[in-house]
Amino acid sequence: MASIDNIHIAFSDESLLALNFCLGFIMFGIALEIKFSDFKAINKFPKSVFTGVISQFLLLPFLTFLLILIFKPHPTLGLGMILVAACPGGNISNYISSISRANIALSVSLTALATLLCPILTPLNFELWGGALPDTREYLHSFDIAFSDMLRTVLLLLVLPLLLGLWVGSKYPVLVSIIKKPIGILSFLILIAFIGLALAKNFDTFKVHLSAVFVLVLLHNGVALAGGYFSGALARLPEIDRRSIAIETGIQNSGLGLIIIFTFFKGNGGMAIIAAWWGVWHIISGMLLAAYFNYRDRRLSRSEIAQT
């Protein structure tokens, strides 16, 4: 497994700037789907919003810490898991919520709120949980990373495009109604290409470790989805709110994780393969979860019809 640490996905300054722009564009595309009125859902569903934020920024990092304690992955894989858990919700979470018959207003509000909170909570969670285990702490502290540097990176890549997208959406609603769908499709394609770039170089070395990484990400993502759903159940929230919280907790912005890895960790292979494979797998798992929710709804409807 140590061979994976010998991989460093190096980008030139120009390439890294282009990747940063791509991630900012993806966030801008998401923001076009959000309206200022969507934030009213925070007042409309305060308990659900609070539960969603707790699930995403407290519960998931803690569950990730427990997974690492139990399975003891290679330190850089563990640090990659912690970084993914510290990131805010991913760009397809609202779409997954819509096809899962979840609470879309809650999903959109949680996406926006998590993006606004992540400049503080992402570096804080990463530093806290990455430093809580001896192996990950040793690797983390081998890099000179200032909290302020990571905060600035997250602000520029996520919060600024979010605010710009909100402003454009409120200022030019007719234009946005025309461009938001093609921008959404383009953003999705950019995300796939972005992940592909992370995996393409040194793929032969990556695939040697892919089976171990596949199991780790499968477990990690499954725990995230289940943790979000059952935190909603524990809070006695409606079914549609539980679904939204599960999706917001299990669909993470691994693109941000990759940018942080490229910028601050010299593109470390162990961390990068976790974040890149998560970016692939959470699309698959999100679709599977949506299919399950729809199947369960159909079963319930047939049962209700049979009882009448």
Side-chain angles (χ1 to χ4, degrees), residues 17-285:
L17 182 63
L19 290 173
N20 287 341
F21 176 80
C22 287
L23 187 60
F25 180 76
I26 290 169
M27 193 65 237
F28 174 76
I30 295 169
L32 292 178
E33 299 282 349
I34 301 172
K35 303 179 182 66
F36 284 107
S37 59
D38 291 329
F39 286 95
K40 293 177 182 176
I42 295 173
N43 293 325
K44 192 175 180 181
F45 314 108
K47 185 178 179 182
S48 297
V49 170
F50 178 77
T51 303
V53 170
I54 293 297
S55 175
Q56 194 165 348
F57 286 112
L58 292 181
L59 179 62
L60 178 56
F62 174 67
L63 292 175
T64 303
F65 173 77
L66 292 182
L67 274 177
I68 295 169
L69 274 180
I70 294 167
F71 291 98
K72 296 180 172 54
H74 188 270
T76 55
L77 297 182
L79 204 57
M81 292 168 67
I82 291 169
L83 178 57
V84 167
C87 288
N91 65 307
I92 64 163
S93 62
N94 303 148
Y95 171 71
I96 298 295
S97 283
S98 69
I99 64 173
S100 298
R101 300 180 184 179
N103 186 335
I104 300 173
L106 174 62
S107 177
V108 170
S109 294
L110 284 173
T111 297
L113 187 58
T115 301
L116 293 174
L117 292 173
C118 75
I120 300 296
L121 295 182
T122 293
L124 187 63
N125 266 323
F126 183 56
E127 179 70 27
L128 173 66
W129 296 106
L133 293 163
D135 290 342
T136 55
R137 179 170 63 243
E138 181 181 352
Y139 187 80
L140 179 62
H141 291 169
S142 67
F143 290 85
D144 185 21
I145 303 172
F147 181 93
S148 58
D149 290 340
M150 195 176 290
L151 184 149
R152 183 172 63 251
T153 297
V154 178
L155 277 171
L156 289 174
L157 293 182
L158 295 188
V159 177
L160 187 61
L162 172 70
L163 296 176
L164 180 61
L166 284 168
W167 179 80
V168 170
S170 64
K171 192 77 173 175
Y172 307 103
V174 176
L175 174 65
V176 166
S177 67
I178 298 169
I179 66 172
K180 68 179 180 180
K181 187 172 182 178
I183 284 182
I185 294 170
L186 182 59
S187 296
F188 180 76
L189 294 175
I190 287 173
L191 176 66
I192 297 300
F194 186 64
I195 293 167
L197 277 173
L199 290 173
K201 292 185 178 182
N202 304 294
F203 184 73
D204 287 342
T205 307
F206 275 145
K207 70 182 181 183
V208 172
H209 307 288
L210 197 55
S211 59
V213 170
F214 177 84
V215 173
L216 275 176
V217 172
L218 177 70
L219 288 170
H220 191 197
N221 182 248
V223 164
L225 291 167
Y229 184 86
F230 287 110
S231 65
L234 192 64
R236 298 182 178 180
L237 300 178
E239 171 67 18
I240 61 170
D241 291 11
R242 298 178 195 181
R243 294 182 184 187
S244 291
I245 293 170
I247 292 162
E248 290 298 320
T249 307
I251 306 293
Q252 293 293 89
N253 194 332
S254 54
L256 173 64
L258 284 169
I259 287 287
I260 289 172
I261 293 163
F262 298 149
T263 304
F264 298 106
F265 293 93
K266 300 179 181 178
N268 175 268
M271 297 178 71
I273 193 173
I274 287 287
W277 183 248
W278 181 289
V280 174
W281 178 250
H282 76 178
I283 297 171
I284 299 169
S285 66

